[in-house]
């Protein structure tokens, strides 16, 4: 029997939703509420081939959820609230407590709120979104889908930092990794398209968007990933610096009398593509500037690709080989120049891009005789959330 499952991604002032019919995985409606907390919040919804937008006051997430459900009823997208049998919530941090998506009960919700200490910008608003739906749809099963849980399969020698051990036991400082829902989804799609069981594949997944991360997936399990204790670590991103020598932090803080909060702003919001190029955090803008001859923009693009290549090499070493390299996220799915720069001269590793296939955005873009498949796969975190609701 078909069921209606809602996938929710709640941010501090926004709430994205997608309603699926499952198990056939059809999108019934999707949209978003932005500027929650303001008099002029914006509600956008797409259904049955049309798109509607309205501006209205929305004081908090509860009002946003109530309004969304009212619109679904008013437009007869659903006939009664009982039709929605499950709601899946994207939750940023599951710590070590959640190794998989979880049914939300009082204990789970308490744990998600406790984990706010590790994700102060995200977990509290995720919990607010969960509470709002529990109140509005008390009959529906609520499931939390964590950005971190896919990476809980990493081994201790991979996830520990070489700091005094007590920082792990007392403060939980370790590599957690993020983007797990996306890496898991694209690896599953890639295996399907290759017609090979995931259990037989060594995959490197490159999720390249505003935030970017690389993941080594061996036999369907994450064995290493570039983001760390926070989503700042790893490759260079739109405004995040990724991995740098940690001594730079106290050095700048002392030289420029910056507070920890100011340092956080510097490495999270003012660095990466934006910081190096001086142009923009948006890859397209930096590409355009580079094309126009801006040397800092050209440098930023080379640095961006080089850091990803470093991880690819490192993860091939970690897994002892590679069967498939995946590109996803806004940059990975769309920028043929980024893919070409990343794959440049990696033939000795079996990674041989076919320029023609790459330029025409085909799903598989490796040369026909190449041992490593190179796949461009559109990520779909919402669908993965809906699938997890059904599974849990
Ligand atoms: P988020 O991480 O916020 O979900 P996305 O996955 O949507 O972000 O990725 C956003 C990035 O993708 C931006 O840097 C944007 O410039 C880049 N991007 C989107 N479309 C293209 C394109 N056609 N060519 C190059 N870059 C693109």
């Amino acid at each position: 029997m078909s069921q209606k499952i809602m996938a929710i991604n709640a941010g501090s002032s926004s709430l994205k939703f997608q309603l699926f019919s499952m198990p056939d995985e059809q999108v019934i409606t999707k949209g978003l509420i932005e500027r929650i907390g303001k008099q002029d919040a914006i509600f956008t919804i797409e259904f049955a081939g049309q798109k509607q937008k309205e501006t209205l006051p929305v004081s908090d997430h509860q009002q946003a959820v109530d309004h969304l459900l009212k619109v679904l009823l008013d437009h007869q997208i659903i006939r009664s609230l009982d039709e929605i049998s499950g709601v899946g919530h994207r939750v940023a941090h599951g710590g070590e407590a959640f190794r998989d998506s979880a049914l939300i009960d009082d204990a789970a919700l308490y744990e998600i709120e406790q984990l706010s200490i590790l994700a102060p910008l995200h977990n509290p608003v995720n919990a607010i979104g969960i509470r709002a739906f529990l109140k509005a749809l008390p009959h529906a099963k609520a499931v939390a889908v964590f950005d971190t849980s896919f990476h809980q399969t990493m081994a201790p020698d991979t996830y520990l930092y070489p700091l005094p051990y007590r920082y792990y036991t007392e403060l939980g400082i370790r590599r957690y990794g993020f983007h797990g829902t996306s890496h898991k989804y694209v690896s599953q799609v890639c295996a399907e398209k290759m017609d090979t069981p995931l259990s037989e594949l060594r995959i490197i997944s490159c999720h390249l968007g505003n935030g970017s991360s690389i993941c080594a997936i061996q036999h369907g399990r994450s064995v290493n990933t570039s983001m760390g204790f926070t989503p700042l670590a790893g490759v260079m991103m739109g405004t995040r610096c990724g991995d740098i020598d940690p001594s730079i932090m106290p050095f700048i803080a002392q030289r420029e009398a910056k507070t920890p909060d100011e340092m956080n702003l510097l490495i999270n919001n003012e660095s990466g593509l934006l910081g190096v190029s001086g142009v923009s955090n948006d890859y397209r803008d930096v590409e355009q500037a580079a094309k126009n001859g801006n040397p800092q923009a050209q440098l930023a693009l080379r640095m961006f690709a080089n850091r990803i290549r470093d991880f690819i090499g490192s993860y091939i070493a970690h897994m002892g080989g590679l069967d498939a390299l995946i590109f996803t996220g806004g940059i990975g799915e769309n920028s043929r120049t980024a893919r070409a720069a990343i794959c440049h001269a990696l033939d000795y590793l079996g990674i041989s891009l076919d320029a023609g296939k790459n330029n025409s955005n085909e799903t598989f873009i490796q040369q026909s005789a190449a041992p490593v498949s190179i796949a461009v796969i559109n990520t779909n975190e919402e669908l993965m959330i809906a699938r997890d609701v059904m599974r849990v």
Side-chain angles (χ1 to χ4, degrees), residues 212 234-238 240-242 272-273 276 300-301 303-304 307:
S212 297
V235 296
M236 170 174 166
M237 310 181 208
R240 291 172 238 171
C241 60
L273 288 172
V276 176
L301 295 185
M303 288 170 66
F304 182 82
R307 277 149 189 268

Side-chain angles (χ1 to χ4, degrees), residues 271-331:
S271 300
L273 288 172
L274 172 69
V276 176
S277 72
V279 173
S280 170
N281 65 301
D282 190 286
Y283 196 86
R284 277 165 298 195
D285 296 345
V286 182
E287 269 189 329
Q288 192 54 52
K291 235 184 244 162
N292 296 341
N294 179 324
Q296 262 173 255
Q298 292 166 352
L299 176 65
L301 295 185
R302 286 201 301 278
M303 288 170 66
F304 182 82
N306 278 344
R307 277 149 189 268
I308 295 163
R309 290 160 62 83
D310 290 347
F311 275 97
I312 290 173
S314 147
Y315 290 169
I316 289 175
H318 190 130
M319 294 190 289
L322 182 67
D323 301 300
L325 177 66
I326 302 176
F327 288 104
T328 190
I331 302 168

